[in-house]
Amino acid sequence: MGGQYKITGDRYPRMRPARRRGRLAFVAVACATVLGVLGWGTLQLIDVFTGGDKASALGAAADCRTTAAKASASPAAVKLPKPAQVTVNVLNATTRSGLAQKTADELKKRGFRIGDVSNAPKEYDKKVQGAGLLLGPVTALKGSLPVLGAQLPGAERRTDAARKGAEVDLIIGNGFKGLTKPADADAALAALAAPQPTPAAEKKGC
């Protein structure tokens, strides 16, 4: 600058524009920080309201996959005795004569071994109202009794803890109308020996 004004000394005045630029930079940083915090908070709120549903859906899907895997696995085959390994005592508890022998002959044709064929003892005589009563030792509950029961599905099954041996009794009751058809009995035996898996996944709505 010329003329009558001269700048002396080694200190120079600060210019106003520099101070404004500093303020603008500070405001910009503050705004960016606020926007970042708001954005992060919004995402957290979204996760709070939607994360539970996603987790539940994922958990349900996992449960369904586990249940389906268990349902698709075939149950272990059950080892049942053959009819030739089962000795049956046929006892008539009705007033119809000849019924025990006729039933015993039919069971023999189906492969069963026949033991005693006679009238039922006094404790059962004329006291069995259903189709029949299957009686055997406790060990026969999951073996001989189910095999014999396939021949007469409507018969009641009982076990006697004091009973010795492996023989089972078929006590014919007043409601007896004959043994089931051989084909139906064979199908029932096959179902007992190889049980089918239960569709548990469908029951749970997967």
Side-chain angles (χ1 to χ4, degrees):
M1 298 178 64
Q4 59 181 341
Y5 300 102
K6 293 183 180 180
I7 298 174
T8 60
D10 55 358
R11 299 182 62 183
Y12 295 90
R14 291 187 177 183
M15 308 302 287
R16 292 289 181 182
R19 182 177 297 178
R20 291 175 182 173
R21 283 197 297 270
R23 289 180 179 177
L24 289 175
F26 174 78
V27 171
V29 171
C31 290
T33 302
V34 171
L35 290 175
V37 171
L38 289 175
W40 180 82
T42 302
L43 290 176
Q44 293 301 311
L45 288 174
I46 292 174
D47 287 341
V48 167
F49 288 107
T50 62
D53 293 339
K54 291 180 181 178
S56 298
L58 291 173
D63 289 342
C64 286
R65 286 194 295 270
T66 302
T67 303
K70 290 181 180 179
S72 62
S74 298
V78 178
K79 188 175 181 180
L80 295 172
K82 302 290 185 182
Q85 297 173 306
V86 180
T87 300
V88 184
N89 300 317
V90 184
L91 310 175
N92 186 3
T94 74
T95 57
R96 291 176 281 173
S97 62
L99 198 55
Q101 188 61 57
K102 181 180 179 180
T103 304
D105 292 342
E106 181 61 30
L107 286 174
K108 187 175 182 179
K109 290 179 183 178
R110 301 185 186 193
F112 288 88
R113 299 169 67 177
I114 304 302
D116 184 25
V117 179
S118 64
N119 292 324
K122 183 180 294 186
E123 59 182 311
Y124 296 110
D125 190 29
K126 303 179 184 65
K127 297 178 183 178
V128 180
Q129 301 303 320
L133 171 63
L134 308 183
L135 181 63
V138 175
T139 55
L141 185 59
K142 295 184 179 180
S144 300
L145 288 182
V147 173
L148 182 58
Q151 312 300 321
L152 189 60
E156 181 186 354
R157 302 177 191 177
R158 293 183 192 174
T159 60
D160 184 357
R163 184 162 181 162
K164 305 298 182 181
E167 293 183 357
V168 293
D169 296 343
L170 168 53
I171 304 175
I172 301 173
N174 293 326
F176 181 80
K177 298 183 182 302
L179 299 175
T180 188
K181 295 180 179 179
D184 293 338
D186 291 342
L189 284 174
L192 285 172
Q196 298 298 313
T198 302
E202 294 181 5
K203 290 182 181 180
K204 290 185 69 176
C206 295

